């Protein structure tokens, strides 16, 4: 993976748009903001920017070298990206959670198309020798293990919220693995979403601290893998995305569910199902097609914006 200095810096409006897309994806259990970063060609730049938060950065700040410190963490990239993500989460958390509760088939059919389209395009950058195929299989298996877990009941104390945030953010940065879904598995999704809606700092602060901690630790490993074994790591990530399709398939049968104290239904176990009618299948295929077409359009937008290809 080429160093960041060799890349054309994406424009601020493009980065904000990427943040909006990532925030929207992260709200939906089963869809990854990391997938959107990969699709939009800012994934490598994002990893490098986050990896810049290290002891050397503290040294630069201690010596008052503000310009070098800002350059080390690519502040001109991170600030608009985070602004987009934050805006998207705050603005879209209500409509997307409403769609998730009332029209999940439509929502997941669209995202299914997004992921399928991105797998096809991103796979061009993977290594498809024996090691790449093994990495892809490992990614598929790992994703299936994660997305088929049954949600558990966990307390909502600050320490549990902290480490739940750390686990979720590691998933959010991985294409194909949804941090929101892992929050669902850990029994924290509804609690955190309600905290976002109500700006409940008692939950949001430990969750944010957990996210920061998990992100700083995990990104270094992922960045090293991309530098050392780029093709095989991309194949691994393609496998993660392919395995996650099990959870994003729009037609499902609920096997076990429960109701929260607020009367909301939470699915504990489900299984794949066929479409209930030809009309439902037609609508789902249309939305999937729109998702695939959108990914193709995003690739063209990347070229026009001077951004790296998918996976950047």
């Amino acid at each position: 993976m080429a160093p960041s200095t060799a890349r054309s810096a994406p424009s601020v409006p493009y980065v904000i748009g990427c943040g909006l897309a990532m925030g929207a994806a992260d709200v939906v259990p089963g869809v990854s903001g990391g997938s959107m970063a990969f699709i939009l060609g800012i994934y490598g730049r994002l990893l490098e920017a986050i990896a810049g938060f290290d002891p050397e950065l503290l040294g630069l700040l201690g010596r008052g070298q503000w310009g070098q410190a800002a350059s080390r963490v690519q502040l001109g990239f991170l600030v608009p990206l985070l602004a987009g993500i934050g805006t998207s989460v705050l603005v879209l958390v209500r409509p997307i959670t409403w769609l998730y509760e009332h029209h999940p088939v439509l929502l997941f059919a669209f995202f299914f198309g997004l992921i399928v389209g991105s797998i096809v395009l991103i796979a061009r950058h993977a290594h498809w020798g024996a090691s790449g195929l093994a990495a892809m299989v490992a990614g598929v298996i790992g994703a299936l293990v994660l997305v088929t877990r049954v949600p558990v009941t966990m307390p909502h104390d600050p320490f549990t919220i902290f480490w739940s945030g750390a686990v979720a953010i590691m998933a959010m940065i991985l294409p194909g693995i949804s941090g929101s879904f892992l929050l669902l598995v850990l029994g924290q999704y509804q609690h955190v979403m309600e905290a976002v809606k109500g700006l409940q700092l008692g939950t949001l602060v430990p969750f944010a601290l957990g996210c920061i901690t998990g992100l700083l630790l995990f990104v270094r490993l992922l960045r090293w893998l991309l530098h050392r074994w780029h093709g095989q790591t991309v194949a691994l990530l393609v496998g993660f995305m392919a395995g996650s399709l099990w959870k994003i398939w729009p037609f499902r049968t609920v096997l076990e569910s429960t109701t929260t104290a607020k009367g909301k239904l939470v699915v504990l176990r489900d299984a794949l199902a066929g479409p209930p009618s030809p009309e439902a299948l037609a609508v789902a295929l249309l939305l999937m097609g729109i998702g695939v077409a959108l990914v193709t359009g995003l690739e063209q937008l990347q070229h026009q914006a001077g951004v790296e290809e998918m996976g950047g």
Side-chain angles (χ1 to χ4, degrees), residues 24 27-29 89 92-104 107 189-190 193-194 197 264:
V27 171
V28 182
V89 170
L92 297 180
V93 64
R94 292 182 184 275
I96 287 183
T97 51
W98 182 84
L99 282 171
Y100 175 69
E101 291 176 7
H102 300 284
H103 298 285
L107 185 66
Y189 177 74
Q190 198 64 42
M193 289 299 103
E194 292 296 333
K197 293 177 184 178
K264 292 191 175 182

Side-chain angles (χ1 to χ4, degrees), residues 143-217:
L144 287 174
V145 168
L146 286 174
V147 301
T148 54
R149 296 300 89 192
V150 176
V152 296
T153 300
M154 299 286 290
H156 303 310
D157 60 275
F159 178 72
T160 303
I161 293 294
F162 173 87
W163 70 257
S164 296
V167 171
I169 200 65
M170 288 190 288
M172 287 178 185
I173 204 67
L174 278 174
I177 302 297
S178 165
S180 294
F181 176 72
L182 285 190
L183 285 178
L184 201 62
V185 169
L186 295 171
Q188 305 295 339
Y189 177 74
Q190 198 64 42
H191 182 73
V192 172
M193 289 299 103
E194 292 296 333
V196 172
K197 293 177 184 178
L199 293 177
Q200 300 167 13
L201 297 182
T203 294
L204 293 180
V205 170
F207 182 74
L209 292 175
C211 288
I212 292 170
T213 303
L215 194 60
L216 293 179
L217 294 176

Side-chain angles (χ1 to χ4, degrees), residues 11-70:
S11 67
V12 170
Y14 183 85
V15 175
I16 292 175
C18 292
L20 291 171
M22 289 177 65
D26 277 329
V27 171
V28 182
V31 185
S32 167
S35 295
M36 298 308 300
F38 220 80
I39 291 168
L40 293 163
I42 62 167
Y43 194 69
R45 186 179 294 274
L46 175 61
L47 295 185
E48 290 177 3
I50 296 171
F53 288 87
D54 58 9
E56 186 172 339
L57 174 66
L58 295 178
L60 291 172
L61 292 174
R63 294 190 294 272
Q65 296 173 299
W66 309 110
Q68 293 183 41

Side-chain angles (χ1 to χ4, degrees), residues 194-254:
E194 292 296 333
V196 172
K197 293 177 184 178
L199 293 177
Q200 300 167 13
L201 297 182
T203 294
L204 293 180
V205 170
F207 182 74
L209 292 175
C211 288
I212 292 170
T213 303
L215 194 60
L216 293 179
L217 294 176
F218 182 66
V219 159
R220 282 168 176 74
L221 171 62
L222 190 54
R223 181 170 172 263
W224 178 79
L225 288 173
L226 280 168
H227 275 284
R228 182 67 179 82
W229 294 290
H230 184 269
Q232 291 85 347
T233 304
V234 172
L236 175 71
L237 298 178
V238 166
F240 272 124
M241 296 177 77
S244 74
L245 289 175
W246 187 94
K247 191 63 184 176
I248 306 174
W249 176 250
F251 302 108
R252 318 192 70 82
T253 298
V254 176

Side-chain angles (χ1 to χ4, degrees), residues 4 7 44-46 48-49 69-80:
S4 60
R7 296 193 184 111
R45 186 179 294 274
L46 175 61
E48 290 177 3
S71 177
R72 182 166 185 78
V73 298
Q74 302 190 39
L75 205 60
F77 166 78
L78 275 186
V79 169

